[in-house]
Amino acid sequence: MTQAATSPRFKENARAALADGELQKSLKILETNFIGRRKQVADKLPEFDALRDAARDIKNHTLAHLDLYLEEYERRVTAQGGHVHYAVTAADARSIILDICRAAEAKLVTKGKSMIAEEVGLDDFLAVHSITPVETDLGEYIIQIRHEMPSHIIAPALHLSKAQVAADFRRVHKELPPNRNLEEPETLLAEARAVLREKFLAADVGITGANFLVAETGSSIIVTNEGNGDLTQTLPKVHIVLTSIEKLVPTLEDVAEFLRVLARSATGQEMSVYTTLSTGPQRPRDPDGPREYHVVLLDNGRSAMLGGQFRDMLRCIRCGACMNHCPVYQAIGGHAYGWVYPGPMGAVLTPSLIGIDKAGNLPNASTFCGRCEEVCPVRIPLPKLMRFWREREFERHLSPATVRAGLSFWAFFARRPWLYGFATDLAARVLALMSGARGRFRWLPLARGWTDRRDFPAPQGATFQAQWRRRH
């Protein structure tokens, strides 16, 4: 029931994205609204890098003792009157949530932003079973009415212009007056709020994700800028938290460390507008809140990652900084990656969840420039993890025959250093002579993937090995 991944068609998706003029205009916002702002707020905090180290260490400690913290978290939630459900697969998570909704006789479900809900394909599943899901995050609401996946994990509608959103509102909101001003972000937001207000009040169940789960208190924490998450989890009679097992942290003090790097890395804010803690159902003296509180903890392949090469990926706090700074993502956007998680983090996580046979193109869609690792708030070595996937792909004979032949040809020389040095020196001299005064090539055999879009620079001077020998 999850949306079919188009990751195997990554190259075709990328070509379409590069030719999409509207998308290319929208992607320009990354430099000003994300990269520039992150640098400003990070530079103003002298201890920012030390906080990143602390966040990394907390995550590593938690993952090393995840079984113990899961048990403690469940005990705390149960003591507060809540219920914890373990879902091994996406199908298990959908089934658990459907049972809870049916027990509540739910017809309408409001949802806060949740990438895990996207991962398990929850919206389509509920709709098939006659339960109407309504996304309440503005970006998620926009892509829901367009029947699209998010193109970014914190800005789901990043790929759209104001004019496109206005046209969608006029198409879907049947009672919208023809002369209503939808030219500015404020008027678009006001229109969405007017429609969603009725949904908040009518919902039987509210479903949110969780940025963090706190073992010390049994709390779930969401970080938002719109306040829709608060209404989603307090107004309905049932609140369901759908999240994954690696979101656990030991204490509230640990959460404070993460909050100082999360907003700075994600949106360039010192702190998000809303940081909301939810700890169990409504208590006798509480003025509001849900009568039932459920936490659905999804595994879906994450336990297998714990003991392997990709464990570091489970530190991810879903800030999106890696994709904001990635030159590949900046060129093609998120939909080209073909599934829920785009950019460098998706290039590592997606093969773990749907298989390298379906997502082998993603870890290859990287220049290995290292910007993703440089800005990651929990210091995930993303280039190294993408290289691990490339190795797995090669070992399983999944990479194209031309790539394998090229690597075998290179390996023949690489295993013979004297021959490698002679061949590279000869090739550099020949290419330099062929290029002449231009110093570049507009076309080279077997290099059209490069020369179709840019010139290929000719070698200049001696090879690195030759220069090294001369200096030492």
Side-chain angles (χ1 to χ4, degrees), residues 98 102 105-109 123-133:
L98 180 61
R102 282 177 169 169
E105 300 181 344
K107 299 297 181 185
L108 178 68
V109 170
D123 281 7
D124 290 343
F125 179 80
L126 292 177
V128 166
H129 290 85
S130 303
I131 299 172
T132 303

Side-chain angles (χ1 to χ4, degrees), residues 38 41 48 261-269 319-321 324 375-377:
R38 178 201 175 274
V41 296
F48 184 67
V261 297
L262 175 57
R264 286 177 168 86
S265 301
T267 54
Q269 297 169 275
C319 69
N324 296 340
V375 299
C376 176

Side-chain angles (χ1 to χ4, degrees), residues 252-271:
L252 285 172
E253 185 176 354
D254 295 327
V255 173
E257 301 278 356
F258 287 103
L259 292 177
R260 298 184 72 193
V261 297
L262 175 57
R264 286 177 168 86
S265 301
T267 54
Q269 297 169 275
E270 292 185 358
M271 191 68 71

Side-chain angles (χ1 to χ4, degrees), residues 74 76-85 279-281 292-295:
E74 181 181 9
R76 294 284 184 173
V77 172
T78 303
Q80 297 284 352
H83 308 273
V84 175
H85 311 263
T279 309
E292 294 181 28
Y293 179 78
H294 298 266
V295 181

Side-chain angles (χ1 to χ4, degrees), residues 437-448:
R438 290 177 307 183
R440 64 186 188 277
F441 295 92
R442 294 180 179 174
W443 178 85
L444 277 175
L446 306 178
R448 284 192 57 187

Side-chain angles (χ1 to χ4, degrees), residues 87-91 119-120 298-303 339 352-353:
V88 177
T89 66
E119 180 181 324
V120 305
L298 178 70
D299 187 324
N300 204 30
R302 288 162 173 83
S303 291
W339 202 52
S352 300
L353 300 180

Side-chain angles (χ1 to χ4, degrees), residues 45 112 183 189 193 195 251 292 311:
L45 189 66
E183 305 303 319
L189 180 59
R193 279 178 171 168
V195 171
T251 68
E292 294 181 28
R311 177 174 177 161

